[in-house]
Amino acid sequence: MIITKTPFRMSFFGGGTDMESFFRENGGAVLSTTFDKYCYVNVRHLPRFFDYSTELSYSKTERVTNIDDIQHPAIRNAMKMLDMHEIRLTYEADLPARSGLDLPARSGLGTSSSFAVGMLNAFYALKGKYADKKKLADEAIYLERNLCQEAGGWQDQIAASFGGFNRINFNADGYEVLPVIISPERKKQLNQNLMMFFTGFTRFSSDVQKANAAGKQDKTVQLKEMLALVDDAERVLTDKNADLDDFGRMLDHTWKLKRQTGSAGIDELYAKGVAAGALGGKLLGAGGGGFLVFYVQPERQDAVRLAMRDLMHIPFAFEDGGTRVIHYTPETYEPRNGV
């Protein structure tokens, strides 16, 4: 039996520049962190007592004898990609994701990619093989973007695999992960100044990505400005003489620059948070609902919490681990004839 633990991510700046269609030509970069909310994937070989050979448990339960009959696209394609057979897979998480076939998917925290990374990590471990963080990130990108044909960028898979507070650069040759060098005290203060609230769900991130692409033929100018902000935000974090509150003000600038939530309700919530004292904020993911993060000075946090009293407040802490195997019990597995 294998159990993997994979963090969710929080992206601050550069979102959209991690789309391959953009960064291959223009370059890209994102500033993001993982935090202490995780998804867990439990995988073992299914004992041969049943009239089905594979059992999957996520928002629903699937029991099949043929991999092609699996409805969850990421699990089906991953099992084919790594030649997995006769397994029982269970998914659970610290935070909610969408219900339905796309679970775990589209909360705005990169949950589908965290699941993809954690599942691949578990599959390799069940085979008795080690896959490093880059291999897991690369194969999760291939799984989601190529095999499953889901719209989106590359940052989620990389963040979930590597973990930590990073600047991820994208170029024609691929990507590089650069840890942000920030003092423990400054990092702790940033963490304490961020407040996260659950807004509920509306549309899937991939649906919003497609709608945005259809509604805006050329967002290159906007994305280039988003890219430039990554440098500015990183400087605020790493320069001990810079005003950390500028990080919050830059989030507000980014919010006004994007204006792409597609939801008047989300815009109203954001305005309410800013009116209560937040310096800025971020809707995690590509829009349409999920989680709102505000940058709030300590003395204003009670007022923001009161203004957001109809939403669930979710305390969190930054984490550095990335995906990991937290339980490993080797299994003896002999394939059936013909498998």
Side-chain angles (χ1 to χ4, degrees):
M1 177 185 292
I2 308 297
I3 303 175
T4 61
K5 176 182 180 181
T6 307
F8 296 141
R9 69 99 180 104
M10 182 177 293
S11 178
F12 297 111
F13 296 96
T17 71
D18 64 321
M19 300 283 286
E20 191 172 6
S21 58
F22 177 83
F23 72 71
R24 291 291 185 192
E25 183 175 344
N26 303 284
V30 297
L31 198 64
S32 72
T33 186
T34 48
F35 61 100
D36 64 344
K37 300 294 182 284
Y38 303 90
C39 75
Y40 302 85
V41 179
N42 182 327
V43 177
R44 60 167 296 184
H45 284 111
L46 186 69
R48 291 172 179 163
F49 301 122
F50 311 103
D51 58 359
Y52 50 87
S53 61
T54 297
E55 181 177 72
L56 313 171
S57 177
Y58 46 104
S59 63
K60 61 180 292 184
T61 299
E62 293 193 58
R63 296 186 176 102
V64 302
T65 55
N66 189 323
I67 293 175
D68 288 326
D69 293 332
I70 294 173
Q71 297 179 56
H72 195 296
I75 301 174
R76 182 181 65 248
N77 284 297
M79 287 184 65
K80 288 183 175 182
M81 183 170 79
L82 295 187
D83 193 31
M84 303 300 297
H85 299 277
E86 298 185 274
I87 66 167
R88 173 181 282 149
L89 179 151
T90 303
Y91 166 89
E92 56 182 287
D94 293 330
L95 293 177
R98 284 283 189 173
S99 60
L101 289 183
D102 290 282
L103 183 79
R106 304 312 170 206
S107 65
L109 302 172
T111 50
S112 69
S113 299
S114 292
F115 169 67
V117 168
M119 173 174 57
L120 293 174
N121 199 5
F123 284 177
Y124 274 113
L126 194 65
K127 285 175 168 287
K129 298 179 179 179
Y130 170 75
D132 63 30
K133 293 181 181 296
K134 188 173 191 309
K135 181 180 180 68
L136 291 172
D138 290 350
E139 293 195 359
I141 291 168
Y142 179 73
L143 171 63
E144 290 198 281
R145 301 294 170 250
N146 294 82
L147 298 181
C148 296
Q149 289 291 296
E150 282 200 14
W154 288 18
Q155 64 163 311
D156 294 353
Q157 299 88 347
I158 298 166
S161 186
F162 282 82
F165 205 123
N166 301 305
R167 175 184 177 133
I168 306 170
N169 290 330
F170 301 90
N171 54 51
D173 297 323
Y175 64 89
E176 60 177 349
V177 181
L178 304 173
V180 175
I181 307 303
I182 178 174
S183 71
E185 296 78 17
R186 197 166 176 83
K187 188 175 182 181
K188 181 179 179 181
Q189 188 60 57
L190 174 64
N191 198 155
Q192 292 175 342
N193 288 356
L194 295 172
M195 302 179 71
M196 182 164 64
F197 297 92
F198 178 53
T199 71
F201 294 122
T202 55
R203 293 186 293 166
F204 288 151
S205 171
S206 55
D207 294 339
V208 177
Q209 296 267 18
K210 292 171 185 174
N212 287 339
K216 298 182 180 179
Q217 291 300 316
D218 186 6
K219 299 199 303 180
T220 302
V221 173
Q222 181 198 69
L223 287 173
K224 285 183 176 179
E225 186 171 352
M226 300 289 292
L227 179 57
L229 285 169
V230 174
D231 290 336
D232 296 337
E234 185 179 21
R235 179 190 56 78
V236 168
L237 293 179
T238 57
D239 182 355
K240 63 182 181 180
N241 295 316
D243 184 357
L244 188 60
D245 289 345
D246 283 344
F247 192 88
R249 298 182 184 103
M250 290 175 62
L251 286 173
D252 183 62
H253 176 69
T254 303
W255 181 280
K256 293 172 180 174
L257 180 67
K258 293 180 78 170
R259 300 293 294 178
Q260 64 174 34
T261 66
S263 169
I266 297 296
D267 288 333
E268 289 171 9
L269 287 172
Y270 181 82
K272 190 183 295 185
V274 170
L279 292 180
K282 177 81 190 324
L283 179 68
L284 298 178
F291 295 82
L292 263 175
V293 170
F294 289 107
Y295 182 103
V296 191
Q297 296 153 315
E299 64 272 17
R300 304 289 182 87
Q301 292 190 1
D302 286 343
V304 171
R305 194 176 289 107
L306 180 62
M308 297 290 116
R309 60 187 177 276
D310 293 334
L311 305 181
M312 181 185 295
H313 175 232
I314 304 170
F316 68 90
F318 298 149
E319 75 95 61
D320 298 316
T323 189
R324 68 209 81 163
V325 175
I326 60 172
H327 178 83
Y328 177 79
T329 301
E331 294 182 7
T332 300
Y333 173 68
E334 293 293 335
R336 293 176 189 261
N337 291 335
V339 173

